Amino acid sequence: DPLVGDYPGYNFSVNQNCCNDLLGDQTLWWVFNDAGNTHTETGGLSFGFEIQAQAFGFKTTDALNDATFYQYKVINRSPYAYSQFYWGQWTDSDLGLYDDDFVGCDVGRGMVYCYNGDADDGGNAPGTYGLFPPAVGVDIVGGPFADANDGIDNDRDSAIDESGERIKMSKFLYYSGDFTSTGNPETADDFYNFLKGRWKDNTQMTYGGNGHATGVPCDFMFPGTTDPYGWGTNGIPQTPWDEASSLNTPADRRLLMSCGPFTMQPGQVQCITTAAVWARDTVTPWPGGSVTALQQADDLAQ
């Protein structure tokens, strides 16, 4: 309330506190918790968390102008310690025409993305892109801090348990809009399984096909060529896997990336920042041009 002296919490000094200050050239701030009402979507119990969120963006003359950022200050207001905690970022990207999409992930960048399943999005129908459709990605650019001495290379930099290590994307899957084992989550256990890279029937995601009972256990669906070291397959590299070369049928895709596991102690605070980036290439044929442009835009966001 500016009439009683309130002023937006921007910090124009060189000593910014990114977890407490408002960010960007334009900002939306709000707060929510999981204790204020019934969990009608999952049927799960309350954990007692408060989340102070801000969405922000920057006015620039480069690809950063087409990116938006979201920071979540996650506070454990309960008296309980939660181990095996996962943070998830869910996206229903609906890129132009909503039912002709493919998805993938870039393991090295920790980014998931959606691109058009064919070279012409919707044939210039209202709300579609037509030829040279763009791509949109989501990246957890500032993940949660890992537990000390957990023995995991959480940021995939070939160093374990370094000070201040943040967790990159740990799992990525997409699910279909039906109610099969790989479809819409229905119970709290389903939601938690998805965060852990497991399907509704409690089987681990596997490499190839639709990710269900196809072979090698994996952490990331459709990594393309971005996992040459086998980060997602227990250090054993696999042949590239993506939707286009698998000749999948484009459809409405729902994406879920997660970071974890880690521990949230009573009163503990984690600041997690995600970026949504968008890019379009009007020269290179589908699908490579816009995905490459998206990777370059993600470099700016990071």
Side-chain angles (χ1 to χ4, degrees), residues 179-197:
F179 292 93
T180 63
S181 293
T182 58
N184 293 313
E186 301 172 75
T187 68
D189 285 343
D190 294 341
F191 283 85
Y192 189 52
N193 270 341
F194 279 11
L195 290 169
K196 297 187 295 180

Side-chain angles (χ1 to χ4, degrees), residues 66-68 91-96 101-104 111-116 129 133-139 255 275-280 290-291 294-295:
D66 294 319
T68 52
T91 306
D92 186 5
S93 46
D94 291 344
L95 188 68
D101 294 338
F102 280 159
V103 298
M111 176 178 68
V112 302
Y113 57 87
C114 175
Y115 61 105
N116 214 62
Y129 289 103
V136 61
V138 178
D139 188 345
L255 303 84
V277 293
W278 181 97
R280 185 177 192 176
S290 290
V291 172
L294 184 72
Q295 292 168 330

Side-chain angles (χ1 to χ4, degrees), residues 45-301:
L45 300 175
S46 166
F47 289 100
F49 279 81
E50 175 184 318
I51 300 177
Q52 299 175 11
Q54 60 172 311
F56 58 97
F58 299 93
K59 184 177 181 180
T60 70
T61 58
D62 56 20
L64 201 61
N65 194 67
D66 294 319
T68 52
F69 297 84
Y70 307 86
Q71 184 186 85
Y72 306 93
K73 185 176 181 179
V74 185
I75 309 169
N76 183 0
R77 297 290 194 192
S78 81
Y80 307 110
Y82 293 101
S83 61
Q84 299 297 306
F85 191 97
Y86 284 81
W87 175 266
Q89 178 65 51
W90 180 85
T91 306
D92 186 5
S93 46
D94 291 344
L95 188 68
L97 184 66
Y98 75 94
D99 64 355
D100 67 345
D101 294 338
F102 280 159
V103 298
C105 74
D106 189 311
V107 175
R109 287 181 171 82
M111 176 178 68
V112 302
Y113 57 87
C114 175
Y115 61 105
N116 214 62
D118 54 47
D120 187 344
D121 177 60
N124 284 322
T128 66
Y129 289 103
L131 296 175
F132 297 101
V136 61
V138 178
D139 188 345
I140 300 178
V141 295
F145 287 104
D147 290 352
N149 304 313
D150 66 359
I152 302 172
D153 184 9
N154 292 281
D155 54 6
R156 296 191 287 278
D157 65 352
S158 299
I160 295 176
D161 295 337
E162 64 265 41
S163 177
E165 183 181 26
R166 288 183 176 268
I167 305 175
K168 268 192 172 182
M169 174 182 69
S170 305
K171 311 286 182 183
F172 166 64
L173 58 79
Y174 89 89
Y175 61 91
S176 54
D178 54 35
F179 292 93
T180 63
S181 293
T182 58
N184 293 313
E186 301 172 75
T187 68
D189 285 343
D190 294 341
F191 283 85
Y192 189 52
N193 270 341
F194 279 11
L195 290 169
K196 297 187 295 180
R198 304 185 73 86
W199 298 113
K200 290 163 62 177
D201 59 5
N202 204 31
T203 58
Q204 186 172 352
M205 187 166 56
T206 52
Y207 200 89
N210 68 349
H212 184 258
T214 54
V216 176
C218 71
D219 293 328
F220 310 110
M221 293 189 71
F222 307 124
T225 61
T226 67
D227 191 14
Y229 303 110
W231 290 110
T233 49
N234 200 29
I236 302 175
Q238 306 292 314
T239 57
W241 174 34
D242 61 57
E243 292 220 71
S245 62
S246 297
L247 302 180
N248 288 354
T249 301
D252 183 13
R253 301 288 195 243
R254 295 163 177 83
L255 303 84
L256 177 66
M257 64 190 306
S258 62
C259 296
F262 57 98
T263 302
M264 287 292 293
Q265 298 288 347
Q268 185 174 352
V269 178
Q270 289 270 14
C271 285
I272 301 166
T273 306
T274 66
V277 293
W278 181 97
R280 185 177 192 176
D281 179 17
T282 58
V283 177
T284 311
W286 173 91
S290 290
V291 172
T292 300
L294 184 72
Q295 292 168 330
Q296 295 169 349
D298 182 64
D299 290 340
L300 284 175

